[in-house]
Amino acid sequence: MDVWALWLIIAGVLFVVEMFTFTFYLLWLSIGALAGGVAAILFPEAIFLQVVVGSFVALGLTVFTKPLAARLRSSRGFKDTGTEIVGRQGLVVEPIVPGRYGQVKVGGDTWSATSTEALGKDQKVIVVKRGTTIIEVERWGDTY
């Protein structure tokens, strides 16, 4: 198997895993692996060069896009729709057991959710905290 194909497989796996995490860090690594693959096509015998190219591209994207994202989020008019979910009512779709994830529907979206208490299906809950892709909920009425 050619080295460029291995780089392409690595890039594809990282990209697919990124689709599940929504962090963008694996996206930059995926693009770095893709750059390593391009270097492998151009310089098939220079493995070290391929690793350096892939590393620098991934590192560069990570370092330079972080301030850009921070500036975008602090700009006037930016609205993070995910933060509006805190305080909203939801409905348990898949039961939640402490220490395990369940599913909660809030508005039209379904979220992975945790709770400090056991919550059954079709129970009303309130969102008390939001992580990147996971929310923390409590039984509706316990907080009010």
Side-chain angles (χ1 to χ4, degrees):
M1 181 180 280
D2 291 328
V3 177
W4 65 265
L6 291 174
W7 282 107
L8 187 61
I9 291 168
I10 292 168
V13 168
L14 287 169
F15 184 74
V16 168
V17 173
E18 170 60 37
M19 295 285 96
F20 291 108
T21 62
F22 304 114
T23 61
F24 284 107
Y25 292 117
L26 293 177
L27 178 63
W28 305 149
L29 291 175
S30 175
I31 293 171
L34 198 59
V38 170
I41 291 171
L42 299 174
F43 308 102
E45 301 300 320
I47 301 292
F48 182 72
L49 176 68
Q50 298 166 22
V51 171
V52 168
V53 167
S55 298
F56 275 124
V57 168
L59 184 65
L61 286 170
T62 302
V63 168
F64 291 115
T65 56
K66 205 164 188 154
L68 181 65
R71 191 171 16 166
L72 176 68
R73 286 189 175 153
S74 65
S75 66
R76 194 168 77 164
F78 177 77
K79 193 176 197 181
D80 185 6
T81 57
T83 56
E84 294 177 354
I85 195 169
V86 175
R88 290 186 60 195
Q89 183 182 21
L91 188 67
V92 178
V93 177
E94 189 177 301
I96 302 171
V97 178
R100 294 193 168 207
Y101 298 118
Q103 298 284 317
V104 172
K105 188 166 188 162
V106 180
D109 298 323
T110 304
W111 292 78
S112 292
T114 62
S115 181
T116 56
E117 56 189 333
L119 300 168
K121 186 175 179 178
D122 296 329
Q123 207 164 10
K124 290 183 181 180
V125 293
I126 184 169
V127 179
V128 293
K129 186 177 176 185
R130 177 190 171 244
T132 306
T133 58
I134 299 169
I135 59 175
E136 187 176 324
V137 296
E138 292 179 356
R139 189 179 326 270
W140 181 261
D142 285 357
T143 57
Y144 296 105

